[in-house]
Amino acid sequence: MTETIISHIEYFAASASTWGLLTIFIFMTIESSFIPFPSEVVMIPAGFLAFRGEMTTGVFWVDALLAVLAGLAGSMLGAYINYFLAYYVGRGFLYRYGKYFFLKPATLERSEEIFRQYGDLATFVCRLLPAIRQLISIPAGLAKMKIGRFSFFTALGAGFWIIILTAVGAWFGHLAGNMSYAELISAGKKMISDHYIWIIAVLVVFVGAYLTVEHFIMKKSEK
């Protein structure tokens, strides 16, 4: 499946200077919704093309920033689709008909279990974890999580992940001469996998800091 997606990304990359940002937005909206789609095949090439001056302005830092913003906007739209879908149609509908929209009952149950265990933080943490990152918006909607908190934690997690992927793509743009998109995606995914411990470390630090601050605020409010 990934190979098929890569072939389509290669097609759109040929017109990246004109349609690159719109392409990123559309594909990242799909990636962040309930449709299975790997974000790596979008944002890694975006960073690669930005570094090589083949995006909109030809200026690396401007194109990299625009790519990140387009990716974040798409991710937020996809997350809102999941959130409001779950918010309005409810658990019964999703468990009964979700299988027709790539939402198996076992997957929904697992995402709800994670949300119940970690609460609001799950919308941030799970954005950096494979397989569950798109679906965590659904239990947030089912639980009717406040939209402000949902938006904040979702943007934080999605933004961090998008920056990582864009930076990886730019790194290979710096290193590589001629490199096929299949090779770029494969090398980028391997690089992330090899250094995933640092992503986990950032998660631990953020969660620890958040819980500490929240505990401090709660203690002050109780006085």
Side-chain angles (χ1 to χ4, degrees):
M1 179 181 176
T2 302
E3 287 74 17
T4 303
I5 295 172
I6 289 173
S7 67
H8 286 86
I9 295 295
E10 287 182 305
Y11 171 78
F12 284 107
S15 57
S17 60
T18 305
W19 301 107
L21 297 177
L22 180 60
T23 299
I24 292 169
F25 174 77
I26 292 172
F27 280 123
M28 289 303 289
T29 299
I30 295 171
E31 184 272 340
S32 192
S33 70
F34 49 80
I35 301 172
F37 192 92
S39 54
E40 292 88 344
V41 304
V42 181
M43 297 311 306
I44 292 177
F48 184 84
L49 291 171
F51 187 88
R52 293 165 71 94
E54 297 176 22
M55 286 284 284
T56 306
T57 69
V59 179
F60 166 58
W61 71 269
V62 175
D63 285 338
L65 177 60
L66 291 174
V68 167
L69 292 176
L72 179 58
S75 290
M76 293 303 294
L77 177 58
Y80 285 136
I81 290 171
N82 282 359
Y83 175 88
F84 286 112
L85 176 68
Y87 190 101
Y88 288 111
V89 305
R91 181 178 288 100
F93 180 91
L94 289 176
Y95 273 87
R96 185 172 183 179
Y97 299 107
K99 60 185 177 181
Y100 300 111
F101 304 96
F102 310 103
L103 298 174
K104 296 179 181 179
T107 305
L108 287 170
E109 186 175 345
R110 177 58 178 155
S111 63
E112 281 203 272
E113 179 185 341
I114 291 173
F115 187 83
R116 283 194 298 268
Q117 185 173 357
Y118 297 104
D120 293 358
L121 276 176
T123 56
F124 165 73
V125 173
C126 289
R127 278 281 158 182
L128 304 175
L129 302 178
I132 198 69
R133 69 169 55 99
Q134 299 95 333
L135 300 181
I136 199 61
S137 304
I138 292 176
L142 291 175
K144 293 182 168 44
M145 179 181 178
K146 290 183 179 179
I147 189 65
R149 291 178 68 82
F150 172 77
S151 300
F152 173 76
F153 285 112
T154 299
L156 196 65
F160 184 54
W161 180 243
I162 287 167
I163 289 171
I164 289 173
L165 296 181
T166 305
V168 168
W171 175 251
F172 282 105
H174 163 70
L175 291 181
N178 294 320
M179 195 176 196
S180 73
Y181 281 90
E183 291 171 336
L184 173 62
I185 300 305
S186 177
K189 291 174 73 173
K190 184 178 184 306
M191 182 179 181
I192 292 171
S193 177
D194 290 345
H195 295 84
Y196 215 82
I197 186 65
W198 298 110
I199 296 176
I200 299 300
V202 170
L203 289 178
V204 170
V205 170
F206 177 86
V207 171
Y210 173 81
L211 293 176
T212 300
V213 171
E214 185 178 52
H215 178 69
F216 178 74
I217 292 173
M218 288 292 290
K219 285 188 68 175
K220 286 190 68 175
S221 65
E222 291 172 359
K223 291 181 179 180

